[in-house]
Amino acid sequence: MKFRSYIFIIRVLVTILFVNTFAVSENYAQTSQDNEYTKALLIANQYLDINADSAIVLFKQLFVTFENQKDTSNIIKCHIGIADARKTKGQYGLAYDHLWDALFLAEDIQDSLEMIDIYYDLGTLYNIYGKTEQAEYHFNTALSLAKRQISLHKFPEDGLSGIYYSIAITKRSMEKYQTALNYLDSCEMVKINKTPNNYNTPYTDAERGIIYLKLGQEERAKNLLEKAHKHFVLKGSNYAIITGLNLGDVSAGQEDWEKANTYYLSSLDRLNKTNSHTNLEGELLKKTSIIYNKIGNSSKAYSYIYMANALADSLYNAKTSKNNELFKIKNKHEETIRIKDEYIRNQNIILEKTKLVQLRLKLFIAFIICAIIVSAIFLQMRSRIKRYNIEKKQAQLDREKAEAIMQIKNKELTSYTLQIIEKDKILDTLLQKLKTLSYADYKSMKVVMVKGNKVMWEQFDKRFTEVNSEFYLRLRKKHPDLTPTEQKYCALLKLNFDSKEMVRLLNISLNTVNISRHRIRKKMGLKREENLSNYIADI
């Protein structure tokens, strides 16, 4: 069988080389290559349960080809295939490494379909070493991914059967037999719904038989195991090693030593020829030794127990050397993720620091801009205040200057008027003497003086208005009911003229002046204690 396998492998490798070298057109060559590689992968997977070494040779050759082509998807398939072959040969540490490499690549390209197979195989590895919790976790992860892909119509529903089957094995290892049987029911339901006319339950029958054997239901176990065993032997499947072992246990339980011995030896023979399920070799050797002892063949019993002990020592050494990383749960994928997470964490820290620096820089720039704006506003306001103060001061100076000029002019006007009044006094004295001398001349001179007084008042009023241009406006605005004569009195009061000076200037009696002053006070609404001259001076 080995010779035929190697011949077939050589033929496949030659086909791969031929396709790579002699494709005529580019499109044809690509299509032809894809078809041949698909066939080669299919053949390699078929050899997993027939000859693990042949499968490894094929997968390695294909791995090199796909690596050159940078075909990540098929590289993952090769990793999974090699891992399955290593697992079959009992090289669990190597199988474990290939699976984590495959998982890393699958996660990198988000290939959920391949991740289903990888998690499934990892669960199987953990199961072999009795790490049922980890196994259950990986199987459940595979199941969740598979259901998700089924909802997207990317994964066949009958693909769930293998996962249900493996979970059943895990539950059996955990001695949860009823739960295991329930998962087997689910497995068979999915499988039967897809292919109702074929015998497609040999693996579930075998597992169900093992469970019934654990439960002590030997006849039910025997019927299921025999049916499955015949199928595996007919198909040349190495799973016959497992069914043969358990059928041997059934026969031993029924004290059919010869039949039990036949099953054990058959499983050992197939194991040695195919180098598959080597983890069962020690158990088979021990049970064969017990059977030989039962039938009275002590020499063979000793021989097989010796081989079993030697194998146990070698397996112990192998487990502590080659597979020690699995016992310690050496997890290359988790280490990669840890490094990746550490890198991401560091990058996030750097990013946070960068954001903090940027935030501080933005705040600093905002502060500078605000300071510039505030400074500009402050300078502008200070400039406005300064300009306002200058203008205010200038206005004050102009007002003071105007007031000073007005005061000077008012003084000049008052002085001029007083001089006229003084002259008028002298003329009045002369006029009184003339009256005693000549009444006729007195009368004529009196008329002239009255006319002169009228002209004098008109000149005074004109000059006063020029000097105090806004006085009459403010006076009329504040007290619009004042008569023109009363406004004259107010003008004279503004220049601090007393009643006697008013009499002379206006050529009226003192009583008339007093009456006019009283009327003005009344119209202005002044109280008794308020001074009329001061009030008018403020207008």
Side-chain angles (χ1 to χ4, degrees), residues 27-81:
N27 291 336
Y28 173 78
Q30 186 61 46
T31 304
S32 181
Q33 278 181 338
D34 290 343
N35 290 336
E36 291 300 326
Y37 292 146
T38 302
K39 289 178 183 177
L41 281 170
L42 183 61
I43 292 165
N45 278 300
Q46 288 173 346
Y47 263 78
L48 284 173
D49 204 31
I50 299 171
N51 191 303
D53 291 321
S54 301
I56 290 171
V57 172
L58 269 176
F59 278 123
K60 281 187 174 180
Q61 179 62 39
L62 289 168
F63 183 89
V64 173
T65 303
F66 295 139
E67 201 170 41
N68 290 335
Q69 294 177 351
K70 296 182 179 178
D71 186 347
T72 306
S73 181
N74 279 325
I75 289 172
I76 293 169
K77 287 181 174 65
C78 288
H79 272 304
I80 295 171

Side-chain angles (χ1 to χ4, degrees), residues 511-522:
N511 187 46
T512 303
V513 172
N514 290 333
I515 291 170
S516 295
R517 286 173 69 110
H518 178 73
R519 286 176 181 171
I520 291 170
R521 286 179 64 85
K522 190 174 181 180

